[in-house]
Amino acid sequence: MTAPDVRIFVSVANYRDAETGPTVRDAMAQAAHPHRVVFGVLSQVVPGVDADCLAPEGPSVRQLCVHAGSSLGACWARHRILTELRQDEPFVLQIDSHTRFAPGWDERFLRMWAGLRNPRAVLSCHPVPYTPPRQLADPAIPLTRPKAFNEQGILALRSHSLAWADRPAQPPRLAFVGAGCIFAPAAAFDQVPYDPHLYFVAPEIFITA
């Protein structure tokens, strides 16, 4: 199966985020094969107030809208996206609703994943930042590390970057995933589903474990 034949489902949990539309449009503009990319967006918005927070309409966008006051958190949103909006796409990319993309990101993800020669491999990081509308930070390799246990006893994570000039030939093995960027076969999200009863922080540790 060549890269142009592989469909990617992009999961976006949006809570009143005006960057959601620009995120979806940038992903489409920068994709090598935009016709193979499908978005599942759960928009938690206030009707009549948050029109600028909705994802753009189109055949590649499946969007559920709920009142922001009815939201049960990020994990609940991501669970609904993966169980109600995903269809038979073989790969999933989970991102935050405020994200920007490098040119050819879809092909690059697939090529990087295939190069690992591990059908259970998961690519993940806390992405480098950007400045709207799309001023990207300098290229770097983000590495996710443990930070400290918070007041609830949950391990918080942090990220630091390896210089682009020192990047390894293959993605380094790490112990943790960052929920703002997870690329994996769809089966990974079936085998390790989101718990809709968790709210926001704990899922990164839960999914890691």
Side-chain angles (χ1 to χ4, degrees), residues 8-85:
I8 300 173
F9 178 82
V10 184
S11 171
V12 185
N14 161 31
Y15 185 85
R16 308 192 70 184
D17 188 355
E19 280 292 287
T20 302
T23 292
V24 171
R25 286 188 285 270
D26 191 65
M28 293 296 285
Q30 301 302 324
H33 306 286
H35 60 290
R36 298 292 182 179
V37 178
V38 177
F39 297 85
V41 184
L42 193 144
S43 290
Q44 302 149 90
V45 294
V46 177
V49 177
D50 294 332
D52 61 336
C53 298
L54 296 174
E57 295 182 358
S60 297
V61 178
R62 305 167 191 156
Q63 182 167 211
L64 288 175
C65 294
V66 299
H67 196 289
S70 300
S71 171
L72 297 179
C75 302
W76 168 82
R78 285 172 169 151
H79 174 82
R80 288 196 63 181
I81 292 167
L82 291 166
T83 57
E84 298 179 37
L85 296 178

Side-chain angles (χ1 to χ4, degrees), residues 186-200:
F189 293 87
D190 295 327
Q191 295 164 3
V192 186
Y194 265 95
D195 184 342
H197 302 293
L198 296 177
Y199 190 73
F200 186 76

